Structures are given as structure tokens and as C-alpha cells.
Amino acid sequence: MTIGARMYDRLSARCFMPYPEVPVPHAKEGPLTGLTFAVKDIFDVAGYPTSAGNPTFLALQGIKQKTASCVEKLLAAGAEFQGKTITDELAFSMQGANFHFGAPINGGAPDRYTGGSSSGSASAVSCGLVDFALGSDTGGSIRCPASQCGVIGLRPTVGRAALDHCQPLSKSFDTVGFFARRMEVFEKVAAVLYGQDANPEDTKPRLIFVDDIWTLFGDKVQQALKKPYEAAVGLFGSPASGQFSPQGLERTFLAFRKLQTAEAWESDGSFIETYHPVLGPGVRERFILAKQWHVEDLSPEREIQAECRAHLTDLLKDDGLAILPTMPDAGIPVGASETFVERFRQKVSMCLCHGGLSGFPWISLPLGTINGAPIGISLVGPKGRDLWLIAQAAKLMFIC
């Protein structure tokens, strides 16, 4: 399959788990007939195991007898399953390199990592191997790879799609998201996966320039996204100025980091303590912190989360459309040091953590480049208005 002048197949893209192929039935007719998809290897699919990106976890699983309901929805709508994709280990990384199963190819910039943790799914889409791919987003695991691979990616409103038969990371922050290259495909999949908005009105958007994030990411990113930003202003009107963290981005990020990491121990602590799996660099250190923070009083962090949610609710109301960069740069170069990766991760998280803390829908669009590599521009909408948000994104994609 071709992305620009580059060509990849399943083997060269390195994005699929090497499981024996098992037929997965799908409806012969439906709104997704003719479309193919892949599934991040944290979601159960009957006939396949689930690794969650760790070989010890995989060895304990056996063959699954049931399929996650979010996957069943897609099959019932006529989409054809193509396989399970590599995930960063226990879904606890933004890098896009699994210590055990390798680094999938970034079809938009092969000299850079895909980003994670939905790395294989973003790779499969960016390399043209499937029409769309299912992933998850807790702290950026859809939005980060979407930006780095040059595809569309959505973190939906928290709770918008069921997470049964899915290995959790941080249950109160986890969401079911997905990637696609084409907006017409994206809109079809979203309608099946999420259903109609509770408020389906086609409200005129009120554009909001997220000043603290644009300032944090600096001139290079502002220049890379100047054209899509100006297109958004022409489409939706002059923006108001707002901030995501009036009390400080670092304060908000540190609260999210502690809450997410503590919840990760609730999800995986028993597995780690019982079976002592080998964990890759970065993931191992985060679980050491998780064990420590899990037993601490996190009420101050919960208060910061409540402040963040209340602030963004007031900022966006029912018609707000926040516009901001997805990332502080193009993706992480392949072979970057662990120190570079961790610093990059923290800067990214100062932006993306607001999606987890608020629970609001957030879409990244592939409308910019830096030195030839993709970078996304993001739109964030009110809670529960996921399809409305996607409709605004489609309008912007159409004119860019």
C-alpha cells in the first residue's frame, strides 16, 4: 500500500501482532461495508489472545471466547477485521516502541516513532494497510500517534463507548478512540461507534484560541500550523482567547500524572507483584512510581481535576470549539535517548492531560508539517458533543 512514495505491507510495517489468522465474522451489509480495520491488542477478539504489549501477560491469557462490544459494533456494521496491532507495553507509554515486540513503522515519517500507546493501530492506518483502526486514549495514546503519523485521531468523551473486554490502564481516564486517513470514513465509523449526540443540534461554533498551549509550544509550531489556524478563523470567525490551565500547566500536569499513574497500579499492580514480568525502560520506572503513589492521599490532585473540569466546562459551554496544537513538535526521532523521550513526553502531557482530566472530546487533524514530518492541529469540544466536534473538523479538513 502507498503513502506518498513509500510502500509497506504487513511484514515491513511491523504493526500487527504475529498471531495465527482466525476468521472473524462480520455483517455482509451495513454502513461500514467495504471498510477494513485493525484492533489495538488490549481489546479482546474471540479466537485471539490479548497481550497488552507484554509477553508474560500474553502467556497468561489463553484464547479469548468473547469480543469487546466496541469491536462487535464495527463487525455488525459490516467492517472487516484484519488483525490485532502492537501496543506499547501495558498501554503505559507515548513513545511507540515496545521493548518486547518492537516499534511499528510511522507511515507519515519513517525516521520518527509512531507515538503511543496505540502505536500499531496508527501505523496500520498511516501505512495504508487498513481503512481505520481502533485504539485507546488515556493520556494521549490516540492524539499523540495521530499527530506524529499524519492521520485523524479522536479521544471521545469519557464513557462514550463501552470498555468491556478491554485491558485497562487507568479506568477513570480510559477511552475508546480510533484513527482514519479520510474524513468520510472517520464520520461513518464515529456514527457507528458512538451513536448520536445527546444534543444533536448543529450549533454555530464559538472558536477559542488556547493561549497557554500555543505559547508553551512556541514559534516553530505556530508557523507550522499557521495555515490551518487561519483557515479555521475564516471558517468559524475570530476567536476569543482562553487558557486551559489558569493556575499553571505544570500544576495541572503533575496532578494528572499522579492520578493516572496511581490508577495504573490498580489495573496492573497485582499482575506485576504476582508474576514479576520483565518491563521495558520507562514503563518499569513508571510502575515503581505507581506503586508508591497508589497508597498516597490524592485528594489534592482530585481537587485540581475538579477545578480543570469546571474551568473547561465554563470555557466551552455548549458551543465552544477550542483550537490548539496537538504536539510541541513532529514525532520523536527513532533512536532518541530515554532522557529526550521523557522530556518530550512531559511537554506533550502538559497539553494532552486536559483531555483526561476533563473527559471532553478531542480530535487531532493532520494539517501541518515540520521539516517534512506531520504535526496535528487539535479541536476540543463540549462534553458529549463528539459528533458535533467531528462535523466541525470535517468542515476544516474540507477547506485545507
Side-chain angles (χ1 to χ4, degrees), residues 208-213 241-248 311-312 315:
I208 301 166
F209 178 88
V210 185
D211 183 70
D212 49 356
I213 302 299
S241 182
Q243 293 187 329
F244 267 9
S245 288
Q247 302 303 318
H311 170 68
L312 290 183
L315 180 69

Side-chain angles (χ1 to χ4, degrees), residues 52-75:
N54 179 273
T56 304
F57 190 94
L58 173 61
L60 293 166
Q61 294 303 297
I63 300 301
K64 299 299 181 180
Q65 302 302 308
K66 293 185 177 181
T67 297
S69 61
C70 58
V71 178
E72 287 185 327
K73 278 187 175 182
L74 301 171
L75 296 168

Side-chain angles (χ1 to χ4, degrees), residues 10-19 38-43 50-54 83-91 93 95-105 114-124 133-136 141 145 179:
R10 288 176 68 108
L11 186 62
S12 62
R14 306 199 301 265
C15 55
F16 284 95
M17 288 296 292
Y19 297 140
V39 174
K40 182 178 182 178
D41 198 22
I42 62 170
F43 297 98
T50 296
S51 75
N54 179 273
K84 302 190 80 179
T85 55
I86 290 174
T87 171
D88 284 29
E89 191 169 13
L90 299 174
S93 172
Q95 184 174 355
N98 186 303
F99 180 72
H100 311 283
F101 299 116
I105 291 292
T114 56
S117 63
S118 303
S119 50
S121 289
S123 173
L134 205 61
S136 65
S141 292
F179 306 98

